[in-house]
């Protein structure tokens, strides 16, 4: 059974019933799907493109009902993050324990999802008894482990990461109890054992930093070509894709995927996340959205790329903060399980017409009131508030507002202040940014952001009373300022713009 060909359109996924109903009505009124907004989950969008869209998960997380609901509705494939690893499944030689993995395959069966088995042979999360084996006993232990586990999950797991992370960064083989005892041949032995145990499962080799062209992916390429030449059962290459905004996007990812596909192999993105140095900010979030989008685009451009799995869907359960101290915010949903700008970017890349997440244009509205009676004094005092006019909650950490003004003569350095806000000034960030290219009524803007929090549909932040001055306290002329208005009560302000993950979603920039 292939997840790619299964039809899952019957489900309405994570969309509230009312919204689906409204969309159906809109569809009917518009006379056909061509002009209507496209509903659907990430997996449904991917399925329409002949791919799956999946997430890693873990047993403890399934107790979180809100988490499990989205896991079960938005994704068509899941990968156990830990529960099929050797230290869990055979902690003592010959004593097999598949209880945790079974919870994952049961969840998948109940939610019409496929499961990627992860992983049979890996140097990490390996019980000590394996490392302590004499070299002469390693092959038998490895074969037995693979045989027991792949047989147990026959029919429940559609693809296996048979060998995980076989390479060092320079493309040499990584030392492990398996390589050290058996040489490179351990990989063919492992694949043959897995095939014998489950002839229907797709068998993969999986590694990180093989997403782009380079020494490590060259080594993987040479290995899989040799294995295919020898007739070893191998169906695909898994690219983990643990990316980071500070390290750049993998070099020529699409071309790299294509060379594996041209060997007749499937390619899967198996563990995608895009981490960043904390704290997150709008620029990093924008880069993150771009990377997520580019990975999805690369997969869609290569026919043999069968799907994308993210390494859990929410920052709440990400492996990143504990593994890379100081880094995080790597996932599509924030810690409150709200979709981030990257989620909207993925939807767009998958051909979705409605962003659905907080990147959807038009769901955020800026409102403005003039708190300053004098246009010629030494302070500018805009009152701003943000309204969620959409139907989905919005995570505030990706959102910024811009108020444009002219600085006039005097200092070009500023002090900015939040004087009062019902959401608390401590969660409001503010600074003045000089424009590279001044426009009429605008050579600087006040940028307002939020450290955390979320806005429910229909909710507002309430007013944020802002104030700025030049460090030399020289006067402004606000009368011609682009965003300046004279209204003294809050009203929609198209000349104040709203950005999500660096992308403008409300207002007109000068
Ligand atoms: C990670 C899990 O997510 C963590 O919970 C665990 O503590 C360590 O392993 N590459 C892999 C995955 O192939 O198995 C790793 O998963 C992440 C990196």
């Amino acid at each position: 059974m292939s997840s790619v060909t299964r039809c899952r359109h019957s489900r309405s996924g994570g969309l509230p019933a009312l919204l689906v109903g409204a969309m159906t009505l809109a569809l009917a009124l518009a006379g056909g799907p061509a002009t209507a907004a496209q509903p659907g989950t990430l997996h449904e969008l991917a399925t329409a493109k002949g791919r799956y869209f999946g997430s890693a998960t873990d047993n403890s997380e399934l107790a979180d009902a809100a988490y499990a609901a989205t896991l079960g509705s938005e994704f068509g494939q899941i990968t156990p993050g830990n529960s099929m690893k050797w230290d869990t499944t055979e902690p003592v030689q010959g004593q097999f324990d598949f209880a945790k993995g079974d919870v994952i395959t049961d969840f998948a069966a109940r939610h019409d999802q496929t499961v990627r088995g992860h992983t049979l042979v890996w140097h990490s999360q390996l019980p000590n008894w394996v490392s302590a084996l004499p070299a002469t006993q390693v092959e038998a232990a490895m074969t037995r482990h693979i045989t027991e586990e792949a047989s147990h999950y026959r029919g429940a797991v559609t693809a296996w990461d048979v060998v995980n992370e076989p390479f060092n960064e320079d493309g040499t083989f990584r030392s492990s109890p398996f390589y050290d005892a058996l040489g490179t041949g351990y990989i063919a032995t492992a694949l043959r054992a897995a095939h014998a145990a489950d002839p229907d499962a797709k068998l993969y080799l999986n590694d990180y930093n093989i997403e782009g062209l380079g020494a490590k992916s060259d080594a993987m390429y040479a290995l899989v070509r040799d294995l295919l030449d020898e007739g070893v059962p191998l169906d695909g290459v898994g690219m983990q894709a643990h990316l980071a905004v500070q390290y750049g996007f993998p070099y020529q990812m699409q071309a790299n995927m294509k060379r594996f596909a041209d060997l007749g192999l499937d390619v899967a993105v198996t563990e995608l996340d895009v981490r960043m140095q904390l704290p997150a900010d709008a620029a990093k979030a924008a880069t993150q959205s771009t990377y997520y989008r580019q990975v999805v685009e690369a997969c869609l451009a290569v026919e043999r790329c069968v799907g994308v799995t993210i390494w859990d869907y929410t920052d709440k359960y990400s492996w990143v903060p504990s593994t890379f101290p100081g880094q995080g915010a790597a996932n599509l949903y924030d810690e409150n399980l709200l979709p981030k700008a990257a989620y909207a970017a993925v939807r767009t890349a998958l051909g979705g017409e409605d962003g659905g997440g907080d990147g959807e244009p038009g769901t955020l509205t800026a409102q403005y009131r003039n708190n300053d009676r004098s246009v010629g004094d030494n302070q500018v005092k805009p009152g701003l508030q943000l309204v969620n006019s959409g139907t989905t909650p919005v995570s505030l950490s990706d959102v910024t507002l811009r108020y444009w003004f002219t600085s006039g003569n005097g200092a070009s350095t500023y002090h900015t202040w939040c004087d009062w806000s019902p959401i608390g000034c401590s969660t409001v960030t503010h600074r003045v940014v000089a424009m590279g290219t001044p426009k009429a009524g605008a050579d600087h803007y006040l940028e307002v952001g939020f450290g955390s929090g979320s806005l429910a549909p229909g909710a507002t932040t309430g007013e944020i009373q802002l104030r700025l001055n030049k460090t030399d306290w020289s006067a402004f002329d606000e009368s011609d300022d682009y965003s300046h208005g004279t209204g003294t009560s809050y009203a929609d302000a198209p000349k104040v713009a709203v950005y999500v993950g660096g992308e403008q979603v409300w207002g007109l920039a000068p």
Side-chain angles (χ1 to χ4, degrees), residues 56 58 61 80-82 85 118-119 122 124-125 161 164-165 206 208 240 242 270-271 311 317-320 322-323:
D58 218 338
E61 302 164 15
N82 288 295
K85 290 173 178 173
H118 177 79
T119 174
W122 188 29
S124 185
Q125 293 179 272
D161 292 326
N164 195 31
E165 303 181 350
N206 194 50
Y208 62 95
Q240 293 186 4
H242 291 293
T270 53
E271 305 183 13
W311 205 240
Y317 297 123
S318 173
W319 74 304
V320 167
S322 58
T323 310

Side-chain angles (χ1 to χ4, degrees), residues 64-88:
D64 177 340
Y67 168 86
T70 297
L71 182 74
S73 59
E74 191 80 29
F75 303 96
Q77 178 272 328
I78 56 175
T79 304
N82 288 295
S83 39
M84 291 186 187
K85 290 173 178 173
W86 197 317
D87 57 354
T88 300

Side-chain angles (χ1 to χ4, degrees), residues 17 19 131 142 157 159 249 259 330 365 377 393 505:
L19 185 58
S131 319
M142 181 184 81
V157 156
F249 192 76
R259 66 171 170 162
T365 306
D377 67 357
V505 299

Side-chain angles (χ1 to χ4, degrees), residues 410-444:
S412 51
T413 47
Y414 293 83
H415 283 141
T416 59
W417 320 84
C418 171
D419 286 327
W420 189 78
S421 175
I423 60 167
C425 277
S426 61
T427 67
V428 178
T429 61
H430 37 83
R431 61 172 184 156
V432 165
V433 179
M435 293 166 67
T437 316
K439 300 279 167 61
D443 49 33
H444 288 73

Side-chain angles (χ1 to χ4, degrees), residues 318-467:
S318 173
W319 74 304
V320 167
S322 58
T323 310
F324 305 95
Q327 298 183 49
N331 302 63
L332 292 188
Y333 292 64
D334 71 11
E335 298 197 347
N336 300 311
L337 306 181
L338 298 174
K340 303 195 290 191
Y343 170 88
V346 167
R347 289 188 71 88
T348 306
L350 288 170
E353 286 170 28
D354 57 334
D358 55 16
E360 183 181 356
T363 61
L364 289 172
T365 306
Q367 298 188 331
Y368 163 78
R369 161 179 105 173
N370 183 359
N371 283 332
D372 192 351
R373 258 165 283 154
S374 162
V375 293
D377 67 357
N378 54 17
Q379 300 192 75
V380 179
K381 301 179 192 167
L384 300 178
Q385 64 185 17
L386 182 70
V387 181
N388 181 358
S389 41
T391 52
T392 52
V394 169
S395 165
L396 285 175
S397 53
D398 293 338
V399 177
T400 52
L401 296 115
R402 289 184 192 179
Y403 175 97
W404 283 274
F405 65 95
T406 49
S407 74
N409 299 324
S412 51
T413 47
Y414 293 83
H415 283 141
T416 59
W417 320 84
C418 171
D419 286 327
W420 189 78
S421 175
I423 60 167
C425 277
S426 61
T427 67
V428 178
T429 61
H430 37 83
R431 61 172 184 156
V432 165
V433 179
M435 293 166 67
T437 316
K439 300 279 167 61
D443 49 33
H444 288 73
Y445 57 85
L446 171 65
E447 184 183 70
V448 180
F450 305 88
S452 61
S454 66
L455 259 194
T460 167
T461 55
E463 65 175 320
I464 305 165
Q465 292 182 8
L466 296 147
R467 186 162 54 88

